[in-house]
Amino acid sequence: TWPGNVRELKNVMARAALLAGDGPIVPVHLQIDAPAKAAAPIPEPGTAYHEVPNSTVRKTIAKRLAASKREIPHYYLTIHCNIDALMGLRADLNSRAPAEGPGAYKLSVNDFVVRAVALALRRYQDANSSWTDEAIRILDTVDVCVAVEAPGGLITPVIRNADQKGLSTISGEIKALAAKARDGKLKPEDYQGDGFTVSNLGMFVISAFAAIITPPQSCLLSVGAAEKRPVVKDGALAVATMMSCVLSADHRSVDGAKGAQFLAIFKRLIEDPLTMLL
């Protein structure tokens, strides 16, 4: 096939015949190939996706957490708590609860954690604080936020004055706030304010994790699953129900020694749960 057009080909053949002394050129029919069609692009592997638009709540959460991780000097302290006594007390109290009615309740491990955190904050107020450029703000009330999953993303409703409330009251408030969060009915006063946050992923069988601090708070306690683990008791190997907790703290307002002192108080309470009932 000739890459040019037919007229150009005839001209070339005519000039060649004249130079060779031949007779007139007899036109011939030539098949001219049509330009090849461009092949459809082959999609690269792994590029298929679909998008989920970001809600206003999701954008707000993203901005706050990014600012927290960027601006707050996080550090992390880990403790491992033996909660055999807690599990036994929880089972005993739940067995005594009415099946239904105003006094009905069902305590979770997280209810004990929130109660222990509240009492530890009352006893060691330096961990119940927030940072400002002018001063460290020590909070006079003990408000404990509990991270719950909501349609728009993670949100932290507040148990106000948690140190003044018993286990059944804390349990009822957490359940009510979690239901409001799932239904999108939380009001700003339900989740705004300073304080301390508890984030528990134990129900997802997460052994331990370190969460991002919720500003303007100074501390957050990440709680892992209750697991049977080998431990040493009285010099012998045994099995106990253990729970790992990680404190995320703002080093500007709660330095390492303060964080350690808070965790020591929390550990004593959670491992000796009868003291939380006094």
Short mmCIF file of all heavy atoms in Angstrom, two decimals, residues 180-225:
data_model
loop_
_atom_site.label_atom_id
_atom_site.label_comp_id
_atom_site.label_asym_id
_atom_site.label_seq_id
_atom_site.Cartn_x
_atom_site.Cartn_y
_atom_site.Cartn_z
N LYS A 180 -28.90 8.02 71.00
CA LYS A 180 -29.11 9.33 70.38
C LYS A 180 -28.08 9.57 69.28
O LYS A 180 -28.40 10.15 68.24
CB LYS A 180 -29.02 10.43 71.44
CG LYS A 180 -30.20 10.46 72.41
CD LYS A 180 -30.01 11.50 73.50
CE LYS A 180 -30.09 12.91 72.95
NZ LYS A 180 -30.01 13.92 74.04
N ALA A 181 -26.84 9.12 69.51
CA ALA A 181 -25.80 9.29 68.49
C ALA A 181 -26.14 8.50 67.23
O ALA A 181 -26.00 9.00 66.10
CB ALA A 181 -24.45 8.86 69.05
N ARG A 182 -26.60 7.26 67.40
CA ARG A 182 -26.95 6.43 66.23
C ARG A 182 -28.12 7.03 65.46
O ARG A 182 -28.20 6.90 64.23
CB ARG A 182 -27.29 5.02 66.69
CG ARG A 182 -26.08 4.20 67.13
CD ARG A 182 -26.45 2.74 67.29
NE ARG A 182 -27.45 2.54 68.35
CZ ARG A 182 -27.14 2.31 69.63
NH1 ARG A 182 -25.88 2.25 70.00
NH2 ARG A 182 -28.10 2.13 70.52
N ASP A 183 -29.04 7.69 66.18
CA ASP A 183 -30.22 8.28 65.55
C ASP A 183 -29.97 9.71 65.07
O ASP A 183 -30.87 10.34 64.52
CB ASP A 183 -31.40 8.28 66.52
CG ASP A 183 -31.85 6.87 66.89
OD1 ASP A 183 -31.57 5.95 66.10
OD2 ASP A 183 -32.48 6.69 67.95
N GLY A 184 -28.75 10.21 65.29
CA GLY A 184 -28.43 11.57 64.88
C GLY A 184 -29.15 12.63 65.67
O GLY A 184 -29.43 13.72 65.15
N LYS A 185 -29.45 12.37 66.94
CA LYS A 185 -30.24 13.29 67.76
C LYS A 185 -29.44 13.95 68.87
O LYS A 185 -30.01 14.59 69.75
CB LYS A 185 -31.44 12.54 68.36
CG LYS A 185 -32.43 12.03 67.33
CD LYS A 185 -33.61 11.33 67.99
CE LYS A 185 -34.62 10.84 66.95
NZ LYS A 185 -35.77 10.15 67.58
N LEU A 186 -28.13 13.81 68.83
CA LEU A 186 -27.31 14.47 69.86
C LEU A 186 -27.36 15.98 69.69
O LEU A 186 -27.27 16.50 68.57
CB LEU A 186 -25.87 13.98 69.79
CG LEU A 186 -25.57 12.58 70.33
CD1 LEU A 186 -24.10 12.25 70.08
CD2 LEU A 186 -25.90 12.46 71.80
N LYS A 187 -27.46 16.69 70.79
CA LYS A 187 -27.39 18.15 70.79
C LYS A 187 -25.96 18.57 71.12
O LYS A 187 -25.20 17.79 71.71
CB LYS A 187 -28.37 18.72 71.81
CG LYS A 187 -29.83 18.37 71.52
CD LYS A 187 -30.74 18.91 72.60
CE LYS A 187 -32.20 18.54 72.34
NZ LYS A 187 -33.11 19.04 73.41
N PRO A 188 -25.56 19.80 70.76
CA PRO A 188 -24.19 20.23 71.05
C PRO A 188 -23.81 20.08 72.51
O PRO A 188 -22.66 19.72 72.82
CB PRO A 188 -24.19 21.70 70.62
CG PRO A 188 -25.22 21.76 69.54
CD PRO A 188 -26.29 20.79 69.95
N GLU A 189 -24.74 20.33 73.42
CA GLU A 189 -24.41 20.20 74.85
C GLU A 189 -24.17 18.75 75.26
O GLU A 189 -23.64 18.49 76.34
CB GLU A 189 -25.53 20.79 75.72
CG GLU A 189 -26.89 20.21 75.49
CD GLU A 189 -27.73 20.99 74.49
OE1 GLU A 189 -27.13 21.66 73.61
OE2 GLU A 189 -28.97 20.94 74.61
N ASP A 190 -24.56 17.81 74.40
CA ASP A 190 -24.33 16.39 74.70
C ASP A 190 -22.89 15.97 74.45
O ASP A 190 -22.45 14.94 74.98
CB ASP A 190 -25.25 15.50 73.86
CG ASP A 190 -26.71 15.62 74.25
OD1 ASP A 190 -26.98 15.86 75.44
OD2 ASP A 190 -27.58 15.46 73.37
N TYR A 191 -22.16 16.73 73.62
CA TYR A 191 -20.81 16.29 73.27
C TYR A 191 -19.75 17.38 73.31
O TYR A 191 -18.58 17.11 73.03
CB TYR A 191 -20.81 15.65 71.87
CG TYR A 191 -21.33 16.54 70.76
CD1 TYR A 191 -20.52 17.45 70.12
CD2 TYR A 191 -22.66 16.43 70.33
CE1 TYR A 191 -20.99 18.26 69.10
CE2 TYR A 191 -23.15 17.22 69.30
CZ TYR A 191 -22.31 18.14 68.70
OH TYR A 191 -22.80 18.93 67.70
N GLN A 192 -20.10 18.59 73.67
CA GLN A 192 -19.11 19.66 73.68
C GLN A 192 -18.56 19.88 75.09
O GLN A 192 -19.24 19.64 76.08
CB GLN A 192 -19.73 20.97 73.16
CG GLN A 192 -20.00 20.96 71.67
CD GLN A 192 -20.57 22.27 71.16
OE1 GLN A 192 -20.95 23.13 71.94
NE2 GLN A 192 -20.63 22.42 69.85
N GLY A 193 -17.31 20.35 75.15
CA GLY A 193 -16.71 20.67 76.43
C GLY A 193 -15.38 19.99 76.65
O GLY A 193 -14.97 19.11 75.91
N ASP A 194 -14.69 20.44 77.70
CA ASP A 194 -13.42 19.85 78.07
C ASP A 194 -13.66 18.54 78.80
O ASP A 194 -14.78 18.06 78.89
CB ASP A 194 -12.64 20.82 78.96
CG ASP A 194 -12.30 22.12 78.24
OD1 ASP A 194 -12.58 22.21 77.05
OD2 ASP A 194 -11.77 23.03 78.90
N GLY A 195 -12.60 17.97 79.35
CA GLY A 195 -12.75 16.74 80.11
C GLY A 195 -11.73 15.70 79.73
O GLY A 195 -10.56 16.01 79.45
N PHE A 196 -12.17 14.45 79.67
CA PHE A 196 -11.30 13.29 79.46
C PHE A 196 -12.11 12.29 78.64
O PHE A 196 -13.31 12.13 78.88
CB PHE A 196 -10.94 12.70 80.83
CG PHE A 196 -9.93 11.60 80.81
CD1 PHE A 196 -8.66 11.80 81.30
CD2 PHE A 196 -10.27 10.32 80.37
CE1 PHE A 196 -7.72 10.77 81.32
CE2 PHE A 196 -9.35 9.29 80.38
CZ PHE A 196 -8.08 9.51 80.85
N THR A 197 -11.49 11.62 77.68
CA THR A 197 -12.22 10.70 76.80
C THR A 197 -11.79 9.26 77.03
O THR A 197 -10.60 8.98 77.23
CB THR A 197 -12.01 11.07 75.32
OG1 THR A 197 -12.64 12.33 75.06
CG2 THR A 197 -12.62 10.03 74.39
N VAL A 198 -12.77 8.36 76.99
CA VAL A 198 -12.52 6.92 77.01
C VAL A 198 -12.95 6.35 75.66
O VAL A 198 -14.08 6.58 75.21
CB VAL A 198 -13.31 6.22 78.13
CG1 VAL A 198 -13.22 4.70 78.01
CG2 VAL A 198 -12.80 6.67 79.50
N SER A 199 -12.04 5.64 75.00
CA SER A 199 -12.35 4.99 73.73
C SER A 199 -12.08 3.50 73.88
O SER A 199 -10.96 3.08 74.16
CB SER A 199 -11.48 5.57 72.60
OG SER A 199 -11.77 4.95 71.37
N ASN A 200 -13.11 2.70 73.72
CA ASN A 200 -13.02 1.26 73.98
C ASN A 200 -13.29 0.49 72.68
O ASN A 200 -14.38 0.59 72.11
CB ASN A 200 -14.04 0.85 75.05
CG ASN A 200 -13.80 -0.54 75.59
OD1 ASN A 200 -13.28 -1.41 74.89
ND2 ASN A 200 -14.18 -0.78 76.84
N LEU A 201 -12.30 -0.27 72.22
CA LEU A 201 -12.46 -1.12 71.04
C LEU A 201 -12.40 -2.59 71.41
O LEU A 201 -12.18 -3.45 70.56
CB LEU A 201 -11.38 -0.80 70.00
CG LEU A 201 -11.48 0.56 69.32
CD1 LEU A 201 -10.34 0.74 68.32
CD2 LEU A 201 -12.82 0.75 68.63
N GLY A 202 -12.59 -2.88 72.70
CA GLY A 202 -12.54 -4.25 73.14
C GLY A 202 -13.57 -5.14 72.49
O GLY A 202 -13.32 -6.33 72.23
N MET A 203 -14.74 -4.57 72.17
CA MET A 203 -15.79 -5.38 71.54
C MET A 203 -15.41 -5.83 70.13
O MET A 203 -16.00 -6.75 69.58
CB MET A 203 -17.11 -4.60 71.50
CG MET A 203 -17.12 -3.38 70.60
SD MET A 203 -16.14 -1.97 71.24
CE MET A 203 -17.05 -1.57 72.72
N PHE A 204 -14.37 -5.20 69.55
CA PHE A 204 -13.87 -5.59 68.23
C PHE A 204 -12.62 -6.48 68.35
O PHE A 204 -11.90 -6.68 67.37
CB PHE A 204 -13.55 -4.36 67.39
CG PHE A 204 -14.75 -3.49 67.12
CD1 PHE A 204 -14.89 -2.26 67.74
CD2 PHE A 204 -15.75 -3.92 66.26
CE1 PHE A 204 -16.00 -1.46 67.50
CE2 PHE A 204 -16.86 -3.12 66.02
CZ PHE A 204 -16.98 -1.89 66.63
N VAL A 205 -12.36 -6.98 69.54
CA VAL A 205 -11.24 -7.88 69.83
C VAL A 205 -9.90 -7.21 69.49
O VAL A 205 -8.99 -7.87 68.99
CB VAL A 205 -11.40 -9.23 69.08
CG1 VAL A 205 -10.59 -10.31 69.77
CG2 VAL A 205 -12.86 -9.68 69.03
N ILE A 206 -9.79 -5.94 69.77
CA ILE A 206 -8.53 -5.21 69.62
C ILE A 206 -7.79 -5.28 70.95
O ILE A 206 -8.30 -4.84 71.98
CB ILE A 206 -8.78 -3.75 69.23
CG1 ILE A 206 -9.54 -3.68 67.90
CG2 ILE A 206 -7.47 -2.99 69.15
CD1 ILE A 206 -8.82 -4.30 66.73
N SER A 207 -6.58 -5.81 70.94
CA SER A 207 -5.84 -5.99 72.19
C SER A 207 -5.38 -4.66 72.78
O SER A 207 -5.46 -4.45 74.00
CB SER A 207 -4.63 -6.90 71.95
OG SER A 207 -5.05 -8.20 71.59
N ALA A 208 -4.87 -3.76 71.94
CA ALA A 208 -4.40 -2.47 72.42
C ALA A 208 -4.29 -1.51 71.25
O ALA A 208 -4.05 -1.93 70.11
CB ALA A 208 -3.05 -2.62 73.12
N PHE A 209 -4.46 -0.23 71.53
CA PHE A 209 -4.31 0.80 70.49
C PHE A 209 -4.07 2.13 71.17
O PHE A 209 -4.29 2.28 72.37
CB PHE A 209 -5.55 0.86 69.58
CG PHE A 209 -6.80 1.35 70.27
CD1 PHE A 209 -7.28 2.64 70.05
CD2 PHE A 209 -7.51 0.53 71.13
CE1 PHE A 209 -8.44 3.09 70.67
CE2 PHE A 209 -8.68 0.96 71.75
CZ PHE A 209 -9.14 2.25 71.52
N ALA A 210 -3.60 3.11 70.42
CA ALA A 210 -3.32 4.45 70.93
C ALA A 210 -4.09 5.45 70.09
O ALA A 210 -3.78 5.66 68.92
CB ALA A 210 -1.82 4.75 70.90
N ALA A 211 -5.11 6.05 70.69
CA ALA A 211 -6.00 6.96 69.95
C ALA A 211 -5.47 8.40 69.99
O ALA A 211 -4.57 8.73 70.77
CB ALA A 211 -7.40 6.90 70.53
N ILE A 212 -6.06 9.23 69.14
CA ILE A 212 -5.67 10.64 69.03
C ILE A 212 -6.48 11.45 70.04
O ILE A 212 -7.69 11.27 70.18
CB ILE A 212 -5.92 11.17 67.61
CG1 ILE A 212 -5.11 10.35 66.61
CG2 ILE A 212 -5.55 12.65 67.49
CD1 ILE A 212 -5.43 10.69 65.16
N ILE A 213 -5.82 12.36 70.74
CA ILE A 213 -6.46 13.20 71.76
C ILE A 213 -7.51 14.09 71.10
O ILE A 213 -7.32 14.61 70.00
CB ILE A 213 -5.41 14.06 72.48
CG1 ILE A 213 -4.43 13.16 73.24
CG2 ILE A 213 -6.06 15.06 73.43
CD1 ILE A 213 -3.22 13.89 73.76
N THR A 214 -8.62 14.27 71.80
CA THR A 214 -9.69 15.16 71.35
C THR A 214 -9.48 16.54 71.96
O THR A 214 -9.68 16.72 73.16
CB THR A 214 -11.07 14.62 71.76
OG1 THR A 214 -11.23 13.29 71.29
CG2 THR A 214 -12.18 15.50 71.22
N PRO A 215 -9.05 17.54 71.19
CA PRO A 215 -8.82 18.87 71.77
C PRO A 215 -10.14 19.50 72.21
O PRO A 215 -11.18 19.20 71.62
CB PRO A 215 -8.20 19.65 70.61
CG PRO A 215 -8.63 18.93 69.37
CD PRO A 215 -8.78 17.50 69.75
N PRO A 216 -10.14 20.31 73.30
CA PRO A 216 -8.97 20.82 74.04
C PRO A 216 -8.55 19.93 75.21
O PRO A 216 -7.85 20.40 76.11
CB PRO A 216 -9.50 22.16 74.55
CG PRO A 216 -10.95 21.90 74.82
CD PRO A 216 -11.40 20.94 73.74
N GLN A 217 -8.97 18.67 75.22
CA GLN A 217 -8.62 17.78 76.33
C GLN A 217 -7.12 17.47 76.32
O GLN A 217 -6.44 17.61 75.31
CB GLN A 217 -9.43 16.49 76.23
CG GLN A 217 -10.94 16.71 76.32
CD GLN A 217 -11.73 15.44 76.10
OE1 GLN A 217 -11.18 14.35 76.13
NE2 GLN A 217 -13.03 15.58 75.87
N SER A 218 -6.64 17.02 77.50
CA SER A 218 -5.23 16.66 77.62
C SER A 218 -5.00 15.16 77.54
O SER A 218 -3.87 14.74 77.25
CB SER A 218 -4.67 17.17 78.96
OG SER A 218 -4.59 18.57 78.98
N CYS A 219 -6.03 14.35 77.81
CA CYS A 219 -5.81 12.91 77.90
C CYS A 219 -6.95 12.12 77.27
O CYS A 219 -8.10 12.59 77.20
CB CYS A 219 -5.70 12.48 79.37
SG CYS A 219 -4.29 13.17 80.25
N LEU A 220 -6.60 10.93 76.82
CA LEU A 220 -7.57 9.97 76.30
C LEU A 220 -7.09 8.57 76.67
O LEU A 220 -5.91 8.26 76.50
CB LEU A 220 -7.71 10.11 74.78
CG LEU A 220 -8.75 9.22 74.09
CD1 LEU A 220 -9.29 9.92 72.84
CD2 LEU A 220 -8.17 7.86 73.69
N LEU A 221 -8.00 7.74 77.17
CA LEU A 221 -7.65 6.37 77.53
C LEU A 221 -8.23 5.41 76.50
O LEU A 221 -9.44 5.35 76.30
CB LEU A 221 -8.19 6.02 78.92
CG LEU A 221 -7.69 4.68 79.49
CD1 LEU A 221 -6.20 4.77 79.82
CD2 LEU A 221 -8.49 4.27 80.72
N SER A 222 -7.34 4.66 75.84
CA SER A 222 -7.75 3.65 74.86
C SER A 222 -7.79 2.30 75.56
O SER A 222 -6.80 1.88 76.16
CB SER A 222 -6.75 3.60 73.70
OG SER A 222 -6.60 4.88 73.11
N VAL A 223 -8.92 1.61 75.45
CA VAL A 223 -9.15 0.37 76.20
C VAL A 223 -9.28 -0.79 75.23
O VAL A 223 -10.07 -0.75 74.28
CB VAL A 223 -10.43 0.49 77.06
CG1 VAL A 223 -10.64 -0.78 77.88
CG2 VAL A 223 -10.34 1.70 77.98
N GLY A 224 -8.49 -1.83 75.48
CA GLY A 224 -8.52 -3.01 74.64
C GLY A 224 -9.42 -4.09 75.19
O GLY A 224 -10.14 -3.90 76.19
N ALA A 225 -9.40 -5.25 74.56
CA ALA A 225 -10.29 -6.35 74.91
C ALA A 225 -9.85 -7.04 76.19
O ALA A 225 -8.67 -7.06 76.55
CB ALA A 225 -10.33 -7.36 73.77
#
